[in-house]
Amino acid sequence: MPGGRLSDEDRRHIASGLAERLGYAEIARRLGRPTSTISREVARNGGPGGYRADHAHEATGQRARRRRPASPPGLPVAAGADGRGPEAVRAFVEQFAALMVQTGLPRTAGRVLASLYTADSGALTAAELVKRLRVSPASVSKAIGYLEGLEVVRRERGPRRSERYVIDDDVWERAWTTSARSHEMWADAARRGAGILGPVTPAGVRLNRMGRFFRRLGDDMAGGPAAPAAGDALTVLAALVHASAPVTVEQLATALGWPADRVTSALHDAEQHPDVIDPVALRRTAPGTYAITARLDRLTTAQREALSHLV
C-alpha cells in the first residue's frame, strides 16, 4: 500500500533495482511507492552502494524496538529523575521551540515538535500536548496537520481508540529529504519556465540560472546524483556525440548492449541533472529520438552570431 511500511519483499526489489542501476523514481514506480520513500530507505541503510535488503529489514526492526516506550508516555519528569529538573527541562523545550520558530516553523508547530522530540517516548496524545503547552485542542490539531505535511510527525492508534502523535528517530533525515525534494521542484519549475519563455531570452536565462542553482542544491542535499546513474548519462551522451545524428532509444540500446529501460533512465538523468552534462544538452527531435546540442544559455546572442559566421 503506498505510504505504508516497506516489507521484506519490497526491500529485495529495491536491492535488485539498485543492482540494475535503476533510478529511485523508476524503483518507486515499480513498487507503487513515492520516490521519497525509496530515497529515504536507501539513505538510512547504507546508500546506493551499500544497501542490503536483509540488513535494512533488521535495522528497521531495531529502530522500531528502540521507539517503544519503557513507561507510559507524557508523564511529567520528577524532580531529580535522571538528574533532570522540571524547570530546566521546561526552559530547554521552550528554547528549542524558539529556535525552530526562528528557522520558519509556526510558533505552535515548533512547540509541538519540541515537546515530542524531548519526550522520552517520542509520542504524546493531543490531550497531553494541550496540557503541556496550555493551548487549545484546535491549535494542537492545526499544528499536527502542518507537521504531518512536512512528514516529520505521524499518527499512531493507541488504546481505547485514542491517537498518539509520534516523532521517529530519523525525523531530521526526513526533514532534510523533504527540503531536497522542494529544491528539485523549484529546479523543475524553472526549467519548464525557461523552455516556455525561451532559453536565450533574458527571462529564460534567468530561470535557467535559478534552475541550475536549485538542482545543484538539491543534488548536494541528496548526496549528489548517484555515480552509476551519472556515469550512464555520460555514456549515452558520448554515444550521441559519436553518432552525430538523432538516435532512437532502441538504436542506443542495441549499440550499447543495454536494456532499453537502462537507456531511458540514463536519458532521464541527463535531462534532470543538466549540471552533470554541462555544457551540452539533450534535444528531442521526435518522440523517443534524441540528439546532442550545445547549451544555448552558455553563449550570448552576439557570441552565437559570431560563431555562426565561422560555419
Side-chain angles (χ1 to χ4, degrees), residues 155-173:
R155 296 170 190 259
E156 186 178 87
R157 185 66 65 183
R160 298 181 183 178
R161 308 177 85 181
S162 63
E163 270 191 344
R164 296 195 312 162
Y165 306 121
V166 182
I167 188 165
D168 290 326
D169 290 341
D170 61 354
V171 58
W172 299 119
E173 182 182 325

Side-chain angles (χ1 to χ4, degrees), residues 5-307:
R5 297 290 182 178
L6 291 170
S7 66
D8 194 20
E9 183 178 0
D10 289 335
R11 292 188 169 91
R12 286 198 295 271
H13 282 304
I14 292 172
S16 177
L18 293 172
E20 294 176 35
R21 299 202 240 186
L22 300 179
Y24 292 158
E26 176 60 20
I27 295 173
R29 186 187 67 78
R30 294 185 178 187
L31 289 177
R33 301 274 185 164
T35 302
S36 60
T37 297
I38 306 304
S39 61
R40 227 172 19 234
E41 167 71 12
V42 175
R44 70 163 70 109
N45 291 296
Y51 185 85
R52 299 293 182 272
D54 53 346
H55 293 168
H57 197 68
E58 182 180 351
T60 300
Q62 290 175 348
R63 284 194 291 267
R65 287 191 291 273
R66 284 201 301 270
R67 288 196 295 267
R68 290 172 187 163
S71 58
L75 294 179
V77 179
D82 297 325
R84 299 179 295 190
E87 291 303 321
V89 171
R90 217 168 357 252
F92 173 75
V93 172
E94 289 300 328
Q95 292 168 5
F96 198 21
L99 178 60
M100 294 181 185
V101 172
Q102 287 178 13
T103 62
L105 279 182
R107 185 169 183 272
T108 304
R111 296 182 71 206
V112 166
L113 188 58
S115 295
L116 288 170
Y117 205 81
T118 54
D120 284 335
S121 63
L124 295 167
T125 65
E128 289 165 344
L129 285 167
V130 166
K131 183 178 179 180
R132 282 182 176 224
L133 303 178
R134 297 177 184 175
V135 296
S136 69
S139 295
V140 168
S141 179
K142 184 177 179 180
I144 289 294
Y146 180 88
L147 294 171
E148 282 184 311
L150 298 180
E151 298 184 15
V152 297
V153 167
R154 60 182 173 83
R155 296 170 190 259
E156 186 178 87
R157 185 66 65 183
R160 298 181 183 178
R161 308 177 85 181
S162 63
E163 270 191 344
R164 296 195 312 162
Y165 306 121
V166 182
I167 188 165
D168 290 326
D169 290 341
D170 61 354
V171 58
W172 299 119
E173 182 182 325
R174 289 192 188 187
W176 185 271
T177 302
T178 299
S179 183
R181 191 163 61 247
S182 298
H183 293 147
E184 290 174 3
M185 291 169 61
W186 278 107
D188 289 341
R191 182 172 57 83
R192 288 196 306 273
I196 293 170
L197 295 169
V200 298
T201 64
V205 170
R206 190 179 306 117
L207 281 168
N208 261 322
R209 189 178 300 117
M210 169 186 165
R212 287 200 302 272
F213 169 78
F214 278 108
R215 180 70 64 190
R216 185 164 56 250
L217 191 59
D219 284 346
D220 288 344
M221 292 184 72
D232 278 1
L234 294 176
T235 299
V236 167
L237 290 176
L240 290 171
V241 170
H242 187 76
S244 68
V247 180
T248 66
V249 170
E250 291 73 17
Q251 289 171 325
L252 282 169
T254 300
L256 295 173
W258 290 1
D261 60 351
R262 181 175 175 184
V263 173
T264 301
S265 179
L267 289 166
H268 174 77
D269 288 330
E271 288 180 316
Q272 293 299 307
H273 300 283
D275 284 343
V276 173
I277 64 173
D278 190 30
V280 299
L282 279 178
R283 179 167 60 92
R284 298 193 192 201
T285 60
T289 304
Y290 295 82
I292 201 76
T293 185
R295 276 181 56 165
L296 297 179
D297 59 325
R298 278 295 181 188
L299 302 170
T300 65
T301 302
Q303 289 170 335
R304 286 193 299 275
E305 290 178 352
L307 289 167

